[in-house]
Structure formats: C-alpha cells, structure tokens
Amino acid sequence: MERFIMLIMMASLSEARAQKKSGHPVSAPGGSSLPQLGKLREAMMTWYCPTHSELTPCKTFLFMKGLRETKSPEEKKKLLLDRQNKMSAMSAEEKKVMQTQAREAFRIMYTEYCRDTQAIALRNAEVCTNTALKNLYGEPQG
C-alpha cells in the first residue's frame, strides 16, 4: 500500500511537470488525464466508502481525506510516518494479498456505482462511461 501511495504521488508529480512543460494534461491509458481519473475515482469512493470503510481502497481514501484536512505540517508528517511504519511492517505476502483485495474492491465498487442507471443521473455519470475506468474495472454489470 505504501508503494501504491508513493507511485500515485510520483505519477502526480511527473504528470504535473509534463503538463507544465507541454501546457496540456498528460493522458493515462484510455485517453483520460491522470487528474481526471483521480477525480472520477474520488467521486466513486466518496459515494461508496462511507458504508464500506473496512475495504483497503476506502481505508486509503479516508486516510488521504484526513491527511488533506490536517492543517499542521508536523501532524501530517506524523500521520505519514505512522502509516509508512505500519506498511513497512507488513510481509511481502500480506502486501500482495492487500493489493489483490484492493483490486477486487475497486471492481466491485465500480460495478455497484454504475449498476443502477437511474441513480447514475444523481452521481458523476462519467465514472461509468470513462474508457480507462472500464478497462481497469470491467464493464459495469447491470
């Protein structure tokens, strides 16, 4: 998970630098920009995670949300260090299991988000039509 968070942070930094140089958003597979994918995932997790906080992606989402709400740089550093230590203490097998569980949780989250076509009108419908998310999580099951 620590590696996942670091990869996201590095991808965001890299994308920001490339966007600054070119003046255009960098595309992710499927033609979406990385910030766009992040916003779509955030919409999905904002809807799903309040009732599924025990799932790995939701734990990360809620941690990141809390981190953003933390004002003190010292407290942010402490939160990040605590999380890093917790992740470092995990075995390679535990990390692999967690990644598999996270992938499956995202797939289920996406399917549930996009299942009810009438409710999609009340949500961000782009989550369900985005090619990159479809490629990552599969076609929504209706």
Side-chain angles (χ1 to χ4, degrees), residues 113-142:
Y113 188 93
C114 298
R115 177 177 288 144
D116 185 350
T117 55
Q118 291 180 339
I120 292 171
L122 303 174
R123 302 179 196 136
N124 186 339
E126 190 178 349
V127 169
C128 305
T129 59
N130 182 276
T131 304
L133 289 180
K134 282 182 185 181
N135 290 338
L136 282 169
Y137 307 128
E139 287 289 330
Q141 307 294 312

PDB file of all heavy atoms in Angstrom, residues 113-142:
ATOM      1  N   TYR A 113     -21.427   1.159  -8.306  1.00  0.00           N
ATOM      2  CA  TYR A 113     -21.632   2.574  -8.630  1.00  0.00           C
ATOM      3  C   TYR A 113     -22.423   2.714  -9.930  1.00  0.00           C
ATOM      4  O   TYR A 113     -23.287   3.571 -10.052  1.00  0.00           O
ATOM      5  CB  TYR A 113     -20.281   3.277  -8.750  1.00  0.00           C
ATOM      6  CG  TYR A 113     -20.349   4.781  -8.902  1.00  0.00           C
ATOM      7  CD1 TYR A 113     -20.279   5.608  -7.788  1.00  0.00           C
ATOM      8  CD2 TYR A 113     -20.464   5.383 -10.150  1.00  0.00           C
ATOM      9  CE1 TYR A 113     -20.320   6.988  -7.906  1.00  0.00           C
ATOM     10  CE2 TYR A 113     -20.501   6.764 -10.287  1.00  0.00           C
ATOM     11  CZ  TYR A 113     -20.432   7.560  -9.162  1.00  0.00           C
ATOM     12  OH  TYR A 113     -20.472   8.930  -9.287  1.00  0.00           O
ATOM     13  N   CYS A 114     -22.102   1.881 -10.900  1.00  0.00           N
ATOM     14  CA  CYS A 114     -22.680   2.009 -12.241  1.00  0.00           C
ATOM     15  C   CYS A 114     -23.888   1.103 -12.476  1.00  0.00           C
ATOM     16  O   CYS A 114     -24.492   1.155 -13.547  1.00  0.00           O
ATOM     17  CB  CYS A 114     -21.609   1.723 -13.289  1.00  0.00           C
ATOM     18  SG  CYS A 114     -20.236   2.894 -13.229  1.00  0.00           S
ATOM     19  N   ARG A 115     -24.246   0.288 -11.513  1.00  0.00           N
ATOM     20  CA  ARG A 115     -25.319  -0.695 -11.692  1.00  0.00           C
ATOM     21  C   ARG A 115     -26.680  -0.043 -11.940  1.00  0.00           C
ATOM     22  O   ARG A 115     -27.394  -0.405 -12.863  1.00  0.00           O
ATOM     23  CB  ARG A 115     -25.406  -1.602 -10.479  1.00  0.00           C
ATOM     24  CG  ARG A 115     -26.551  -2.613 -10.579  1.00  0.00           C
ATOM     25  CD  ARG A 115     -26.580  -3.559  -9.414  1.00  0.00           C
ATOM     26  NE  ARG A 115     -25.448  -4.469  -9.565  1.00  0.00           N
ATOM     27  CZ  ARG A 115     -24.722  -4.942  -8.566  1.00  0.00           C
ATOM     28  NH1 ARG A 115     -25.009  -4.603  -7.338  1.00  0.00           N
ATOM     29  NH2 ARG A 115     -23.718  -5.746  -8.780  1.00  0.00           N
ATOM     30  N   ASP A 116     -27.075   0.885 -11.114  1.00  0.00           N
ATOM     31  CA  ASP A 116     -28.406   1.493 -11.183  1.00  0.00           C
ATOM     32  C   ASP A 116     -28.371   2.692 -12.127  1.00  0.00           C
ATOM     33  O   ASP A 116     -27.922   3.772 -11.766  1.00  0.00           O
ATOM     34  CB  ASP A 116     -28.842   1.918  -9.784  1.00  0.00           C
ATOM     35  CG  ASP A 116     -30.258   2.452  -9.739  1.00  0.00           C
ATOM     36  OD1 ASP A 116     -30.871   2.691 -10.800  1.00  0.00           O
ATOM     37  OD2 ASP A 116     -30.760   2.639  -8.613  1.00  0.00           O
ATOM     38  N   THR A 117     -28.863   2.488 -13.350  1.00  0.00           N
ATOM     39  CA  THR A 117     -28.765   3.537 -14.369  1.00  0.00           C
ATOM     40  C   THR A 117     -29.547   4.790 -14.004  1.00  0.00           C
ATOM     41  O   THR A 117     -29.163   5.884 -14.391  1.00  0.00           O
ATOM     42  CB  THR A 117     -29.219   3.014 -15.743  1.00  0.00           C
ATOM     43  OG1 THR A 117     -30.538   2.463 -15.628  1.00  0.00           O
ATOM     44  CG2 THR A 117     -28.273   1.960 -16.269  1.00  0.00           C
ATOM     45  N   GLN A 118     -30.616   4.661 -13.254  1.00  0.00           N
ATOM     46  CA  GLN A 118     -31.363   5.857 -12.842  1.00  0.00           C
ATOM     47  C   GLN A 118     -30.600   6.645 -11.778  1.00  0.00           C
ATOM     48  O   GLN A 118     -30.612   7.870 -11.787  1.00  0.00           O
ATOM     49  CB  GLN A 118     -32.745   5.475 -12.341  1.00  0.00           C
ATOM     50  CG  GLN A 118     -33.640   4.964 -13.457  1.00  0.00           C
ATOM     51  CD  GLN A 118     -35.011   4.580 -12.962  1.00  0.00           C
ATOM     52  OE1 GLN A 118     -35.199   4.321 -11.770  1.00  0.00           O
ATOM     53  NE2 GLN A 118     -35.970   4.536 -13.871  1.00  0.00           N
ATOM     54  N   ALA A 119     -29.938   5.941 -10.882  1.00  0.00           N
ATOM     55  CA  ALA A 119     -29.178   6.615  -9.823  1.00  0.00           C
ATOM     56  C   ALA A 119     -27.927   7.291 -10.374  1.00  0.00           C
ATOM     57  O   ALA A 119     -27.447   8.259  -9.794  1.00  0.00           O
ATOM     58  CB  ALA A 119     -28.797   5.628  -8.723  1.00  0.00           C
ATOM     59  N   ILE A 120     -27.405   6.796 -11.501  1.00  0.00           N
ATOM     60  CA  ILE A 120     -26.207   7.401 -12.090  1.00  0.00           C
ATOM     61  C   ILE A 120     -26.449   8.874 -12.404  1.00  0.00           C
ATOM     62  O   ILE A 120     -25.546   9.694 -12.294  1.00  0.00           O
ATOM     63  CB  ILE A 120     -25.755   6.632 -13.351  1.00  0.00           C
ATOM     64  CG1 ILE A 120     -25.249   5.255 -12.948  1.00  0.00           C
ATOM     65  CG2 ILE A 120     -24.669   7.384 -14.106  1.00  0.00           C
ATOM     66  CD1 ILE A 120     -24.982   4.324 -14.112  1.00  0.00           C
ATOM     67  N   ALA A 121     -27.675   9.213 -12.750  1.00  0.00           N
ATOM     68  CA  ALA A 121     -28.002  10.611 -13.048  1.00  0.00           C
ATOM     69  C   ALA A 121     -27.744  11.508 -11.838  1.00  0.00           C
ATOM     70  O   ALA A 121     -27.485  12.703 -11.996  1.00  0.00           O
ATOM     71  CB  ALA A 121     -29.456  10.719 -13.504  1.00  0.00           C
ATOM     72  N   LEU A 122     -27.821  10.945 -10.653  1.00  0.00           N
ATOM     73  CA  LEU A 122     -27.571  11.712  -9.427  1.00  0.00           C
ATOM     74  C   LEU A 122     -26.099  11.726  -9.044  1.00  0.00           C
ATOM     75  O   LEU A 122     -25.693  12.414  -8.128  1.00  0.00           O
ATOM     76  CB  LEU A 122     -28.387  11.122  -8.274  1.00  0.00           C
ATOM     77  CG  LEU A 122     -29.898  11.046  -8.497  1.00  0.00           C
ATOM     78  CD1 LEU A 122     -30.565  10.301  -7.352  1.00  0.00           C
ATOM     79  CD2 LEU A 122     -30.485  12.436  -8.670  1.00  0.00           C
ATOM     80  N   ARG A 123     -25.304  10.906  -9.735  1.00  0.00           N
ATOM     81  CA  ARG A 123     -23.866  10.796  -9.466  1.00  0.00           C
ATOM     82  C   ARG A 123     -23.108  11.356 -10.664  1.00  0.00           C
ATOM     83  O   ARG A 123     -23.685  11.941 -11.556  1.00  0.00           O
ATOM     84  CB  ARG A 123     -23.499   9.326  -9.245  1.00  0.00           C
ATOM     85  CG  ARG A 123     -24.248   8.683  -8.114  1.00  0.00           C
ATOM     86  CD  ARG A 123     -23.843   7.236  -7.966  1.00  0.00           C
ATOM     87  NE  ARG A 123     -24.817   6.541  -7.155  1.00  0.00           N
ATOM     88  CZ  ARG A 123     -25.301   5.346  -7.420  1.00  0.00           C
ATOM     89  NH1 ARG A 123     -24.876   4.671  -8.454  1.00  0.00           N
ATOM     90  NH2 ARG A 123     -26.189   4.800  -6.641  1.00  0.00           N
ATOM     91  N   ASN A 124     -21.814  11.112 -10.673  1.00  0.00           N
ATOM     92  CA  ASN A 124     -20.991  11.518 -11.809  1.00  0.00           C
ATOM     93  C   ASN A 124     -21.046  10.398 -12.849  1.00  0.00           C
ATOM     94  O   ASN A 124     -20.351   9.395 -12.735  1.00  0.00           O
ATOM     95  CB  ASN A 124     -19.550  11.768 -11.357  1.00  0.00           C
ATOM     96  CG  ASN A 124     -18.690  12.329 -12.457  1.00  0.00           C
ATOM     97  OD1 ASN A 124     -19.000  12.202 -13.636  1.00  0.00           O
ATOM     98  ND2 ASN A 124     -17.592  12.944 -12.078  1.00  0.00           N
ATOM     99  N   ALA A 125     -21.879  10.564 -13.865  1.00  0.00           N
ATOM    100  CA  ALA A 125     -22.091   9.532 -14.883  1.00  0.00           C
ATOM    101  C   ALA A 125     -20.817   9.228 -15.669  1.00  0.00           C
ATOM    102  O   ALA A 125     -20.671   8.132 -16.218  1.00  0.00           O
ATOM    103  CB  ALA A 125     -23.207   9.953 -15.832  1.00  0.00           C
ATOM    104  N   GLU A 126     -19.895  10.174 -15.707  1.00  0.00           N
ATOM    105  CA  GLU A 126     -18.655   9.963 -16.455  1.00  0.00           C
ATOM    106  C   GLU A 126     -17.838   8.796 -15.887  1.00  0.00           C
ATOM    107  O   GLU A 126     -17.092   8.151 -16.610  1.00  0.00           O
ATOM    108  CB  GLU A 126     -17.816  11.243 -16.474  1.00  0.00           C
ATOM    109  CG  GLU A 126     -16.648  11.169 -17.429  1.00  0.00           C
ATOM    110  CD  GLU A 126     -15.839  12.446 -17.475  1.00  0.00           C
ATOM    111  OE1 GLU A 126     -16.274  13.481 -16.928  1.00  0.00           O
ATOM    112  OE2 GLU A 126     -14.752  12.408 -18.069  1.00  0.00           O
ATOM    113  N   VAL A 127     -18.004   8.509 -14.599  1.00  0.00           N
ATOM    114  CA  VAL A 127     -17.311   7.359 -13.994  1.00  0.00           C
ATOM    115  C   VAL A 127     -17.647   6.094 -14.787  1.00  0.00           C
ATOM    116  O   VAL A 127     -16.781   5.268 -15.059  1.00  0.00           O
ATOM    117  CB  VAL A 127     -17.718   7.180 -12.509  1.00  0.00           C
ATOM    118  CG1 VAL A 127     -17.239   5.854 -11.949  1.00  0.00           C
ATOM    119  CG2 VAL A 127     -17.191   8.335 -11.664  1.00  0.00           C
ATOM    120  N   CYS A 128     -18.896   5.960 -15.189  1.00  0.00           N
ATOM    121  CA  CYS A 128     -19.379   4.736 -15.832  1.00  0.00           C
ATOM    122  C   CYS A 128     -19.122   4.706 -17.339  1.00  0.00           C
ATOM    123  O   CYS A 128     -19.247   3.646 -17.951  1.00  0.00           O
ATOM    124  CB  CYS A 128     -20.865   4.570 -15.561  1.00  0.00           C
ATOM    125  SG  CYS A 128     -21.235   4.588 -13.788  1.00  0.00           S
ATOM    126  N   THR A 129     -18.773   5.832 -17.926  1.00  0.00           N
ATOM    127  CA  THR A 129     -18.528   5.873 -19.369  1.00  0.00           C
ATOM    128  C   THR A 129     -17.050   6.048 -19.704  1.00  0.00           C
ATOM    129  O   THR A 129     -16.675   5.917 -20.868  1.00  0.00           O
ATOM    130  CB  THR A 129     -19.329   7.022 -20.026  1.00  0.00           C
ATOM    131  OG1 THR A 129     -18.934   8.268 -19.435  1.00  0.00           O
ATOM    132  CG2 THR A 129     -20.834   6.822 -19.844  1.00  0.00           C
ATOM    133  N   ASN A 130     -16.237   6.312 -18.708  1.00  0.00           N
ATOM    134  CA  ASN A 130     -14.813   6.554 -18.932  1.00  0.00           C
ATOM    135  C   ASN A 130     -14.113   5.274 -19.396  1.00  0.00           C
ATOM    136  O   ASN A 130     -14.170   4.243 -18.718  1.00  0.00           O
ATOM    137  CB  ASN A 130     -14.168   7.091 -17.653  1.00  0.00           C
ATOM    138  CG  ASN A 130     -12.714   7.403 -17.843  1.00  0.00           C
ATOM    139  OD1 ASN A 130     -11.884   6.510 -17.731  1.00  0.00           O
ATOM    140  ND2 ASN A 130     -12.411   8.654 -18.134  1.00  0.00           N
ATOM    141  N   THR A 131     -13.459   5.340 -20.537  1.00  0.00           N
ATOM    142  CA  THR A 131     -12.794   4.173 -21.128  1.00  0.00           C
ATOM    143  C   THR A 131     -11.710   3.611 -20.225  1.00  0.00           C
ATOM    144  O   THR A 131     -11.595   2.388 -20.068  1.00  0.00           O
ATOM    145  CB  THR A 131     -12.202   4.546 -22.501  1.00  0.00           C
ATOM    146  OG1 THR A 131     -13.251   5.064 -23.321  1.00  0.00           O
ATOM    147  CG2 THR A 131     -11.584   3.348 -23.180  1.00  0.00           C
ATOM    148  N   ALA A 132     -10.911   4.462 -19.622  1.00  0.00           N
ATOM    149  CA  ALA A 132      -9.826   3.984 -18.759  1.00  0.00           C
ATOM    150  C   ALA A 132     -10.375   3.220 -17.559  1.00  0.00           C
ATOM    151  O   ALA A 132      -9.848   2.161 -17.198  1.00  0.00           O
ATOM    152  CB  ALA A 132      -8.954   5.151 -18.309  1.00  0.00           C
ATOM    153  N   LEU A 133     -11.434   3.732 -16.931  1.00  0.00           N
ATOM    154  CA  LEU A 133     -12.015   3.026 -15.784  1.00  0.00           C
ATOM    155  C   LEU A 133     -12.665   1.719 -16.219  1.00  0.00           C
ATOM    156  O   LEU A 133     -12.565   0.705 -15.519  1.00  0.00           O
ATOM    157  CB  LEU A 133     -13.023   3.909 -15.054  1.00  0.00           C
ATOM    158  CG  LEU A 133     -12.427   5.077 -14.270  1.00  0.00           C
ATOM    159  CD1 LEU A 133     -13.521   5.884 -13.587  1.00  0.00           C
ATOM    160  CD2 LEU A 133     -11.401   4.614 -13.260  1.00  0.00           C
ATOM    161  N   LYS A 134     -13.305   1.721 -17.376  1.00  0.00           N
ATOM    162  CA  LYS A 134     -13.877   0.466 -17.900  1.00  0.00           C
ATOM    163  C   LYS A 134     -12.776  -0.561 -18.119  1.00  0.00           C
ATOM    164  O   LYS A 134     -12.941  -1.738 -17.815  1.00  0.00           O
ATOM    165  CB  LYS A 134     -14.611   0.706 -19.218  1.00  0.00           C
ATOM    166  CG  LYS A 134     -15.970   1.321 -19.063  1.00  0.00           C
ATOM    167  CD  LYS A 134     -16.621   1.454 -20.430  1.00  0.00           C
ATOM    168  CE  LYS A 134     -17.933   2.167 -20.348  1.00  0.00           C
ATOM    169  NZ  LYS A 134     -18.587   2.287 -21.652  1.00  0.00           N
ATOM    170  N   ASN A 135     -11.634  -0.105 -18.661  1.00  0.00           N
ATOM    171  CA  ASN A 135     -10.525  -1.025 -18.887  1.00  0.00           C
ATOM    172  C   ASN A 135      -9.939  -1.547 -17.583  1.00  0.00           C
ATOM    173  O   ASN A 135      -9.519  -2.693 -17.504  1.00  0.00           O
ATOM    174  CB  ASN A 135      -9.435  -0.353 -19.711  1.00  0.00           C
ATOM    175  CG  ASN A 135      -9.845  -0.117 -21.150  1.00  0.00           C
ATOM    176  OD1 ASN A 135     -10.750  -0.767 -21.671  1.00  0.00           O
ATOM    177  ND2 ASN A 135      -9.189   0.810 -21.801  1.00  0.00           N
ATOM    178  N   LEU A 136      -9.915  -0.706 -16.558  1.00  0.00           N
ATOM    179  CA  LEU A 136      -9.368  -1.107 -15.267  1.00  0.00           C
ATOM    180  C   LEU A 136     -10.302  -2.043 -14.493  1.00  0.00           C
ATOM    181  O   LEU A 136      -9.858  -3.026 -13.902  1.00  0.00           O
ATOM    182  CB  LEU A 136      -9.101   0.115 -14.393  1.00  0.00           C
ATOM    183  CG  LEU A 136      -7.857   0.927 -14.677  1.00  0.00           C
ATOM    184  CD1 LEU A 136      -7.891   2.239 -13.897  1.00  0.00           C
ATOM    185  CD2 LEU A 136      -6.611   0.139 -14.308  1.00  0.00           C
ATOM    186  N   TYR A 137     -11.587  -1.727 -14.487  1.00  0.00           N
ATOM    187  CA  TYR A 137     -12.525  -2.408 -13.594  1.00  0.00           C
ATOM    188  C   TYR A 137     -13.573  -3.239 -14.323  1.00  0.00           C
ATOM    189  O   TYR A 137     -14.380  -3.890 -13.670  1.00  0.00           O
ATOM    190  CB  TYR A 137     -13.193  -1.391 -12.678  1.00  0.00           C
ATOM    191  CG  TYR A 137     -12.203  -0.529 -11.942  1.00  0.00           C
ATOM    192  CD1 TYR A 137     -12.298   0.842 -11.957  1.00  0.00           C
ATOM    193  CD2 TYR A 137     -11.138  -1.106 -11.253  1.00  0.00           C
ATOM    194  CE1 TYR A 137     -11.366   1.631 -11.298  1.00  0.00           C
ATOM    195  CE2 TYR A 137     -10.202  -0.323 -10.594  1.00  0.00           C
ATOM    196  CZ  TYR A 137     -10.333   1.049 -10.625  1.00  0.00           C
ATOM    197  OH  TYR A 137      -9.411   1.818  -9.979  1.00  0.00           O
ATOM    198  N   GLY A 138     -13.581  -3.220 -15.634  1.00  0.00           N
ATOM    199  CA  GLY A 138     -14.549  -4.019 -16.390  1.00  0.00           C
ATOM    200  C   GLY A 138     -15.819  -3.252 -16.676  1.00  0.00           C
ATOM    201  O   GLY A 138     -16.108  -2.233 -16.057  1.00  0.00           O
ATOM    202  N   GLU A 139     -16.576  -3.775 -17.623  1.00  0.00           N
ATOM    203  CA  GLU A 139     -17.868  -3.163 -17.949  1.00  0.00           C
ATOM    204  C   GLU A 139     -18.788  -3.284 -16.718  1.00  0.00           C
ATOM    205  O   GLU A 139     -18.815  -4.326 -16.081  1.00  0.00           O
ATOM    206  CB  GLU A 139     -18.512  -3.881 -19.136  1.00  0.00           C
ATOM    207  CG  GLU A 139     -17.850  -3.573 -20.458  1.00  0.00           C
ATOM    208  CD  GLU A 139     -18.109  -2.143 -20.958  1.00  0.00           C
ATOM    209  OE1 GLU A 139     -19.168  -1.562 -20.672  1.00  0.00           O
ATOM    210  OE2 GLU A 139     -17.207  -1.615 -21.624  1.00  0.00           O
ATOM    211  N   PRO A 140     -19.527  -2.220 -16.417  1.00  0.00           N
ATOM    212  CA  PRO A 140     -20.469  -2.300 -15.299  1.00  0.00           C
ATOM    213  C   PRO A 140     -21.485  -3.421 -15.558  1.00  0.00           C
ATOM    214  O   PRO A 140     -21.953  -3.581 -16.670  1.00  0.00           O
ATOM    215  CB  PRO A 140     -21.154  -0.936 -15.293  1.00  0.00           C
ATOM    216  CG  PRO A 140     -20.253  -0.038 -16.047  1.00  0.00           C
ATOM    217  CD  PRO A 140     -19.527  -0.899 -17.034  1.00  0.00           C
ATOM    218  N   GLN A 141     -21.766  -4.182 -14.517  1.00  0.00           N
ATOM    219  CA  GLN A 141     -22.755  -5.259 -14.610  1.00  0.00           C
ATOM    220  C   GLN A 141     -24.105  -4.692 -14.217  1.00  0.00           C
ATOM    221  O   GLN A 141     -24.258  -4.184 -13.134  1.00  0.00           O
ATOM    222  CB  GLN A 141     -22.376  -6.415 -13.664  1.00  0.00           C
ATOM    223  CG  GLN A 141     -20.968  -6.921 -13.858  1.00  0.00           C
ATOM    224  CD  GLN A 141     -20.743  -7.572 -15.206  1.00  0.00           C
ATOM    225  OE1 GLN A 141     -21.548  -8.396 -15.617  1.00  0.00           O
ATOM    226  NE2 GLN A 141     -19.683  -7.196 -15.902  1.00  0.00           N
ATOM    227  N   GLY A 142     -25.062  -4.779 -15.072  1.00  0.00           N
ATOM    228  CA  GLY A 142     -26.384  -4.205 -14.789  1.00  0.00           C
ATOM    229  C   GLY A 142     -27.403  -5.170 -14.364  1.00  0.00           C
ATOM    230  O   GLY A 142     -27.332  -6.283 -14.122  1.00  0.00           O
TER     231      GLY A 142
END
